[in-house]
Amino acid sequence: MPLIPGVIKMIKTDEVRIKIAIQKSGRLTEHSIELLTRCGLTYSRGRDQLICYGENMPVDILLVRDDDIPGLVQENICDLGIVGGNIIEELRLELIKKGTKRLFNVLERLNYGHCRLSFGIPENVEYIGAKTLKGKKIATTYPLIVEDYLKKQNVNATVVEFSGAVEIAPSLGKADLICDLVSSGATMKAHGLFEADTILESTATLIQSPEALSKTKKDWIKLLLQRIRGVLQVKESKYIMLHAPREALQEIRRLLPGSEAPTIIPLEGFKDKVAVHAVCRENVFWETLEELKEAGASSMLVLPVEKMLA
Ligand code: PRT
Ligand code: ZN
């Protein structure tokens, strides 16, 4: 990895501190920093702007290009990495092709960086499933994922690797169609392509080095992962409080989204009414509140959950 030889030499010699590689500047950067901050990590930025040193945990953040992340983790230069599932899958197929035995571990799919890898077909071409791809030239940044898909579909086609601006390949006459990442779909549309089959759904993903780690590192990673899971859970969760007629309790419990055991509290001065407090592990929409009201609930309050530890 010629881009940061000094940094690599320094971190390789450190046996205790956990190194986590994240994207330096791009779509995943802000979310990844936010996730680690919400796990309680405070840090100071090194003068070279490539490393953030954890102050309250032995966890340092390495800021690199996203394409370098899986390699840094696979080669055990970093213990952990956060990168798009699309990049992970392409490297996984490359390592398998090379016969590598021990691959990085996928620890958790995160709830940001959502996108999909889909075929983009010129609007004047009729698409009738994978057989449309037969004999075609397909431009993509993910040749191994596309080849793997074609093989599974038993379709023969030519895959041409492009490192960027894949969407212009058909208009330049370099390919018949493309296979590229899509989120809103606007880019394909702007280039006269329509989105056909999706071959991979991707999100930012936390991966771990395949090497055996020291007990101290293992313990810290376990703690970090538990906090990450807590943060992911909290994002979707709400705390709901309401008053309910006793007789409607069964129906109200049924309507509370993703709640296990609500707390039922008597209401002073009311024999037939109780207060219900519950953690809902799904978002609570207006429609749910309206249904709860219909079932007899009143004085409803929905609050965000700050932290959660199962
Ligand atoms: O500099 P560095 O190499 O680190 O960054 P990068 O430019 O290679 O990556 P970046 O920041 O663009 O994306 C990082 C990760 O975000 C990707 O690996 C994906 O996992 C994820 N992601 C989510 C996306 C998109 N959404 C996305 N829409 N990555 C790329 N795109 C591109 C796509 O390639 C296409 O050009 O956006 C265009 C399509 O977007 P729509 O909204 O028009 O459909
Ligand atoms: Zn990149």
Side-chain angles (χ1 to χ4, degrees), residues 23-29 64-69 83-87 112-116 141-142 165-167 180-189 195 202-204:
Q23 193 183 21
K24 184 169 194 265
S25 164
R27 291 171 205 260
L28 306 183
T29 308
V64 291
R65 284 201 60 196
D66 67 345
D67 315 74
D68 293 328
I69 295 172
V83 65
N86 43 304
I87 293 183
Y112 57 90
H114 293 274
C115 56
R116 51 197 188 272
T141 315
Y142 303 93
V166 179
E167 59 280 353
D180 197 19
L181 295 179
V182 184
S183 53
S184 68
T187 305
M188 280 201 183
K189 217 170 176 185
E195 186 183 354
S202 176
T203 64

Side-chain angles (χ1 to χ4, degrees), residues 96-212:
I96 291 173
K97 207 171 165 183
K98 281 189 191 155
T100 310
K101 292 274 177 313
R102 301 182 64 202
L103 303 190
F104 54 81
N105 302 303
V106 172
L107 294 189
E108 193 73 31
R109 277 175 66 102
L110 308 169
N111 59 354
Y112 57 90
H114 293 274
C115 56
R116 51 197 188 272
L117 186 61
S118 300
F119 289 108
I121 318 272
E123 270 153 9
N124 57 355
V125 174
E126 196 193 353
Y127 186 77
I128 43 162
K131 61 183 170 195
T132 314
L133 307 171
K134 197 176 161 198
K136 296 282 194 304
K137 214 184 225 189
I138 307 169
T140 185
T141 315
Y142 303 93
L144 298 178
I145 302 178
V146 177
E147 277 165 11
D148 187 58
Y149 173 81
L150 293 172
K151 202 168 150 199
K152 285 178 182 149
Q153 296 293 321
N154 213 4
V155 168
N156 270 325
T158 309
V159 177
V160 207
E161 185 170 354
F162 262 62
S163 52
V166 179
E167 59 280 353
I168 59 171
S171 56
L172 292 179
K174 304 247 181 220
D176 299 306
L177 54 105
I178 68 167
C179 190
D180 197 19
L181 295 179
V182 184
S183 53
S184 68
T187 305
M188 280 201 183
K189 217 170 176 185
H191 288 84
L193 306 167
F194 69 89
E195 186 183 354
D197 290 346
T198 292
I199 63 171
L200 183 87
E201 297 278 356
S202 176
T203 64
T205 303
L206 177 70
I207 54 172
Q208 185 187 330
S209 146
E211 296 297 317

